Amino acid sequence: MNLPSTFMGAHGRVLYYFKCNVDRPWKRDNNLHLYVTVVSLLDLNQDPNAPKPLTNNNTKTFGCLCCTTGPLNATLSLPKLGYVCGETIFFSASIENLSNKVMTKSSIKLVEIDVFKAASGKQRHVRRVIMSHQEASIAPGDSFTWGNVGLLIPPLPPSHLVYCNIIDIYYSVELSVDPSGIGFDLDVPINVTIGTIPLRQQYQQINYQSPAGASAPPDDSMPPPPSYGELVHGKEAMEGGEGEGNSVQGGGMYAPQYPTYQFKG
């Protein structure tokens, strides 16, 4: 069956559960809800762009008309487009401040963008910062290069929420530079894909966690089996436990479990 992955968002959810009903004559029935996670496969090997490097840059000036400053330039590069949970996104980023303003900080973020689509054609976008790193100020005329920093991807639903036509999920790595005083941030985003099956050339970089009864790792034609981790956003209260005789396994709280891989080194 082509089922969309379990998803929990601000304005919509995709949920699956088993409901156990105990029919008690002359008494209120007992109902138990057991929520389960469904994960639709997203194989990065099926996307020809997944292993390709990406670069984006942006520039801006401050002031207006004849009073503009020199430019603020920023560049962000990633070694590839496709990743899986448990993998670290390594990047290179450089900032050149040729303006006369101090840049109070720069930051690199992994951002989730959830898109909720109404039948009328309207859309609502919700941004969630998954994780971020921040660096100090950059003086006028100075430059800064990010190094020795990566973004470790926690358990998350795969990109695009395939088989669902009313909710979409995007992920982006974003470099932001915050100027002092009046002025908007300079942003340099690059969209990335988070899948459930890693690129084939990475199979040997993943720690093999043998299931019970297995004596040897899989061959190179198959990815090592993942473990499963709780959604980084945490548990939420679930419907089904209201009223006498109704309950939700887990004390009424639930968080999906998504495949994640442990990389060597």
Side-chain angles (χ1 to χ4, degrees):
M1 298 178 65
N2 295 330
L3 298 174
S5 297
T6 299
F7 170 77
M8 299 171 67
H11 303 289
R13 294 174 170 181
V14 178
L15 295 171
Y16 302 89
Y17 62 86
F18 294 102
K19 181 179 180 181
C20 177
N21 173 263
V22 179
D23 185 4
R24 303 192 301 171
W26 309 107
K27 294 183 179 180
R28 188 183 299 273
D29 291 355
N30 281 339
N31 296 300
L32 174 65
H33 292 73
L34 172 61
Y35 284 87
V36 296
T37 302
V38 170
V39 179
S40 179
L41 292 181
L42 181 55
D43 187 351
L44 295 177
N45 299 288
Q46 301 301 313
D47 182 354
N49 292 317
K52 295 181 179 180
L54 301 164
T55 297
N56 192 17
N57 57 72
N58 200 359
T59 186
K60 73 181 302 181
T61 57
F62 304 93
C64 58
L65 301 178
C66 62
C67 299
T68 57
T69 68
L72 170 66
N73 304 312
T75 300
L76 174 65
S77 297
L78 303 181
K80 59 177 182 168
L81 168 74
Y83 299 86
V84 291
C85 296
E87 189 173 0
T88 298
I89 301 176
F90 293 104
F91 60 88
S92 61
S94 62
I95 303 164
E96 185 182 31
N97 182 15
L98 300 179
S99 75
N100 58 8
K101 295 171 69 72
V102 173
M103 301 299 124
T104 57
K105 64 180 179 181
S106 65
S107 61
I108 192 84
K109 302 183 287 285
L110 174 61
V111 179
E112 175 184 339
I113 302 101
D114 301 330
V115 183
F116 302 91
K117 307 172 185 178
S120 63
K122 293 183 178 180
Q123 296 185 357
R124 180 173 291 183
H125 294 68
V126 176
R127 288 170 50 91
R128 295 197 274 193
V129 176
I130 304 301
M131 65 179 310
S132 66
H133 294 290
Q134 183 174 306
E135 288 290 348
S137 62
I138 306 171
D142 281 356
S143 61
F144 177 77
T145 300
W146 283 77
N148 300 320
V149 180
L151 298 167
L152 178 63
I153 305 173
L156 291 165
S159 295
H160 309 312
L161 203 63
V162 292
Y163 308 123
C164 179
N165 58 10
I166 59 172
I167 302 174
D168 211 340
I169 308 171
Y170 298 94
Y171 295 99
S172 177
V173 176
E174 299 181 2
L175 172 65
S176 296
V177 187
D178 184 9
S180 59
I182 299 174
F184 294 105
D185 290 2
L186 175 66
D187 295 320
V188 186
I190 295 180
N191 287 341
V192 296
T193 298
I194 296 181
T196 59
I197 298 179
L199 291 167
R200 187 167 289 106
Q201 56 263 41
Q202 293 185 287
Y203 289 178
Q204 296 303 315
Q205 302 173 26
I206 299 172
N207 285 325
Y208 176 68
Q209 305 190 8
S210 60
S215 57
D219 59 42
D220 290 346
S221 65
M222 296 291 292
S227 56
Y228 288 82
E230 184 179 289
L231 175 66
V232 65
H233 305 309
K235 290 183 169 66
E236 294 185 19
M238 306 305 296
E239 298 178 357
E242 304 84 4
E244 182 184 348
N246 294 318
S247 61
V248 175
Q249 187 163 325
M253 304 297 290
Y254 167 72
Q257 304 272 330
Y258 294 106
T260 183
Y261 297 84
Q262 183 180 6
F263 284 77
K264 298 175 182 178

